[in-house]
Amino acid sequence: MKVSCLQENLSKGLSIVGRAVSPRSTLPVLSNVLLATEAGRLELSATNLEVGINCWIGAKVEEDGATTVPARTFIDLVNALPPEQVDMELVVQTQTLNLRAGRSEANVKGIDAQEFPLVPVPEGEGGISIEADALRTAISQVAFAAATDESRPILTGVLAKFEEDQLTLAAADGFRLSVRTIPLPQPVPDPFSIIIPARALVELGRISGEQEDPIIITITPTRNQVLFQLTDIVLVSQLIDGNFPDYRQIIPQDWMTRSVLDTAAFLKACKTALIFARDAAHITRMHVKPGSDLSPGHLVVSATSAETGDDVSELDANIEGEGVEIAFNVKYLIDLLSVIGTPQVALYTTTSSSPGVLRPVGDVDYTHVIMPMHLGR
């Protein structure tokens, strides 16, 4: 293999695939990045066997070939090189990759590319097209609600339900639920559902930051992997096998009180409450006080710590219905309010022991449910 490319492009490509490298693996080759020439370009690839990423960068190829090199060493080395052309040549007998850039030269010992697991790429036409911006927003609004505890693997995933001309993403960890619906440019012929690891979707959100063209989603014929095709990147993820809980049963259909609040003010009050709530299991009280003809309604956000003190914030709110006092995990509220994306948010409550529902005002396609916490007197 003999290939040249710009240091800037190589560094950017490595930053894309680097997050899929397995940091701790019994297989040494999984700690490596694959470099391979393909159709006049340089392919970079990494996988931890759950998520794999392929990325192609422009290059001048003099001799075809492939090798794998230790990811951490190679990424640090490339980032330290001057911003010039990088010439790479593989010594096949020793699997050593020689790099030259400007007045710098280095040799990196690798492992034969034959030992690297195959990361699939889409074949032929087909797949489901979806707007990159819409998918990125949906991932940011849903994936954070997935469980991080591996005791129930199904909840570490995000349900992706393709039905007619829409995709619904749903994630739940037993304490909260996020559901987002986004339109599909073309309807799917047959409805189907898959469960994608939340980590894979978060990674897709990260690497698709500059993507403007639609993202193409393909399910492998064996139905155990999903591929996301971007302009010069393909992310592949294993799917989680099993049945996702029926999230629709968790969403309350009725409410006693609807409070409309300024999102930024509500988020600021919650961040202030967290200072004291973090010493008390993140419990934060929400006291909904309906207004009268003469005074507007209020939502009082308060947190108390036996060790450090307490805090009370009063927010103006447009309130329909009765007053209620309810407690939530304030970290969950902060997670939601940071991504809700509208100037106002509506909080729907019933009783102090019933789930609260939050929705962006003016956006019917996003729903978030938070279980209440016990109110000690």
Side-chain angles (χ1 to χ4, degrees), residues 1-4 37 40 59-65 85 87-89 100:
M1 181 173 80
K2 196 171 182 183
V3 63
S4 304
T37 58
K60 180 186 173 189
V61 179
E62 291 184 44
E63 286 176 24
D64 284 325
Q85 178 174 297
D87 299 316
M88 293 178 280
E89 187 170 357
R100 291 184 307 280

Side-chain angles (χ1 to χ4, degrees), residues 11-320:
S11 176
K12 186 177 178 183
L14 289 169
S15 74
I16 289 167
V17 302
R19 293 278 284 274
V21 174
S22 182
R24 294 175 296 278
S25 174
T26 50
L27 283 173
V29 78
L30 291 183
S31 300
N32 284 16
V33 173
L34 172 75
L35 283 78
T37 58
E38 185 191 303
R41 294 191 298 172
L42 180 63
E43 177 189 356
L44 306 173
S45 187
T47 181
N48 57 18
L49 299 183
E50 182 185 276
V51 175
I53 304 175
N54 294 319
C55 174
W56 290 264
I57 61 172
K60 180 186 173 189
V61 179
E62 291 184 44
E63 286 176 24
D64 284 325
T67 188
T68 77
V69 288
R72 189 171 175 187
T73 301
F74 192 62
I75 290 168
D76 288 349
L77 172 63
V78 170
N79 288 342
L81 291 176
E84 299 177 21
Q85 178 174 297
V86 180
D87 299 316
M88 293 178 280
E89 187 170 357
L90 176 66
V91 181
V92 180
Q93 287 94 335
T94 58
Q95 283 296 314
T96 302
L97 187 67
N98 174 265
L99 286 88
R100 291 184 307 280
R103 297 167 74 178
S104 300
E105 184 173 356
N107 292 293
V108 182
K109 295 181 178 180
I111 299 175
D112 194 316
Q114 298 286 334
E115 295 185 33
F116 195 80
L118 185 68
V119 179
V121 293
E123 294 179 9
E125 297 297 314
I128 298 163
S129 173
I130 191 160
E131 287 300 323
D133 272 349
L135 183 56
R136 216 170 17 246
T137 300
I139 290 169
S140 73
Q141 292 180 334
V142 172
F144 70 86
T148 52
D149 178 7
E150 299 284 346
S151 61
R152 292 185 67 190
I154 209 88
L155 294 184
T156 64
V158 174
L159 175 71
K161 190 174 173 183
F162 295 85
E163 201 167 25
E164 295 178 351
D165 60 352
Q166 65 180 31
L167 164 64
T168 302
L169 297 180
D173 63 2
F175 305 101
R176 53 184 169 173
L177 163 72
S178 247
V179 183
R180 175 85 208 190
T181 301
I182 43 179
L184 296 173
Q186 273 93 33
V188 292
D190 300 302
F192 68 94
S193 296
I194 53 175
I195 303 170
I196 307 167
R199 283 193 295 263
L201 284 178
V202 169
E203 205 51 49
L204 176 64
R206 181 184 74 89
I207 64 176
S208 66
E210 296 177 9
Q211 178 77 8
E212 293 179 2
D213 294 334
I215 293 171
I216 310 297
I217 302 172
T218 313
I219 315 298
T220 55
T222 52
R223 296 191 67 80
N224 66 341
Q225 290 178 312
V226 60
L227 285 77
F228 297 93
Q229 188 175 359
L230 287 71
T231 304
D232 289 312
I233 306 166
V234 172
L235 181 143
V236 56
S237 170
Q238 296 289 341
L239 295 175
I240 299 173
D241 194 28
N243 294 315
F244 199 83
D246 185 357
Y247 64 87
R248 290 166 299 192
Q249 293 183 347
I250 302 168
I251 303 171
Q253 299 304 309
D254 302 309
W255 50 270
M256 300 280 286
T257 312
R258 177 180 186 263
S259 310
V260 175
L261 300 132
D262 179 85
T263 307
F266 195 11
L267 177 59
K268 188 171 186 291
C270 288
K271 285 180 173 178
T272 308
L274 177 63
I275 296 165
F276 297 96
R278 60 190 171 206
D279 295 330
H282 301 118
I283 295 172
T284 298
R285 291 172 184 252
M286 308 280 149
H287 195 164
V288 178
K289 297 180 175 181
S292 63
D293 293 340
L294 299 174
S295 62
H298 289 109
L299 176 76
V300 179
V301 180
S302 61
T304 302
S305 163
E307 290 81 26
T308 56
D310 58 68
D311 129 85
V312 178
S313 299
E314 190 175 273
L315 305 172
D316 288 339
N318 187 341
I319 295 167
E320 297 172 43

